[in-house]
Amino acid sequence: MSSNTPRQPVQDLRFFLTVPHTCSYLPSKEATTLFLDPLESPVTGVYDSLSLLGFRRSGRHLYRPHCENCNACQSVRIPVEQFAASRSQRKVWRRNADITTRVVPARYEARHYELYANYIRKRHADGDMYPPSSEQYRTFLTLEEPYAYLLEMYLGEELVGVSAFDQLEHGLSAIYTFFGVDDELDRRSLGTLAILKLIELSHKKALPHLYLGYWIAECRKMRYKQDFSPIERLDGRHWRPLIC
């Protein structure tokens, strides 16, 4: 995204609130989501500005939590120049020295979907993305925009993982990662590897941050994000160190 393109002021955009619904992360709570109007056609830079305010992308939609009595969802990002891999993360990196990667546009491919569907069936059969479908996958992770990419991970000729991400002016934004599920691949910790690969890619592109979406202290499935140190959280309009 070019920083030379005039930005559409955020205050001129239209937003909508959803009706309260069961929270995907904390089932005992209700959630409300703030969406950028799907009819908006934001010029280059709007996505960048909204991501600094905690917005995320799902398909063609930009959104963020907007719950009246809860602020459990914290936007988090890694300042890549300060990142220091832990001992276990260095082990993951060495263990996967034979994994190669390729970055491709975020377009639909049947082999990507097959890997995604198998991952959802085996890892998230209790989640709201089950059962998987090709239409669900298309609307969630494919997008023909210049900022939307997929990081493919290969073991030899075998596709073993895919990480969807966006390239913003001020960092990469990790959207979703899925990978093969069996005893051998489980030992490789491909989810951790994907984040390490995106940190490396951020370095190569001289981008200062890797955005990891939302972190919730009470949500066990999100605790892995706090293992990447240092990490920052959005406190209102300011990014501050996350202290767990």
Side-chain angles (χ1 to χ4, degrees), residues 172-213:
L172 300 183
S173 179
I175 304 297
Y176 194 75
T177 296
F178 54 94
F179 42 83
V181 181
D182 61 36
D183 290 342
E184 170 59 28
L185 293 177
D186 286 349
R187 286 192 287 270
R188 288 178 172 271
S189 302
L190 292 178
T192 296
L193 179 66
I195 295 177
L196 295 174
K197 290 289 187 181
L198 290 177
I199 292 172
E200 179 185 54
L201 185 59
S202 299
H203 272 293
K204 289 180 178 178
K205 292 180 174 291
L207 294 169
H209 301 106
L210 173 62
Y211 292 81
L212 293 183

Side-chain angles (χ1 to χ4, degrees), residues 143-187:
L143 187 67
E144 292 196 13
E145 292 288 351
Y147 54 75
Y149 295 95
L150 302 174
L151 175 77
E152 298 176 329
M153 295 185 286
Y154 290 92
L155 181 57
E157 298 296 317
E158 181 187 4
L159 178 71
V160 295
V162 175
S163 185
F165 71 94
D166 292 340
Q167 182 172 332
L168 307 175
E169 290 179 351
H170 41 78
L172 300 183
S173 179
I175 304 297
Y176 194 75
T177 296
F178 54 94
F179 42 83
V181 181
D182 61 36
D183 290 342
E184 170 59 28
L185 293 177
D186 286 349
R187 286 192 287 270

Side-chain angles (χ1 to χ4, degrees), residues 77-102:
R77 69 183 187 184
I78 299 169
V80 297
E81 290 298 329
Q82 301 171 42
F83 171 71
S86 66
R87 182 180 179 185
S88 64
Q89 288 162 354
R90 293 194 297 271
K91 285 183 178 180
V92 169
W93 190 265
R94 292 193 296 269
R95 189 182 307 138
N96 290 287
D98 53 349
I99 295 282
T100 59
T101 60
R102 185 175 66 161

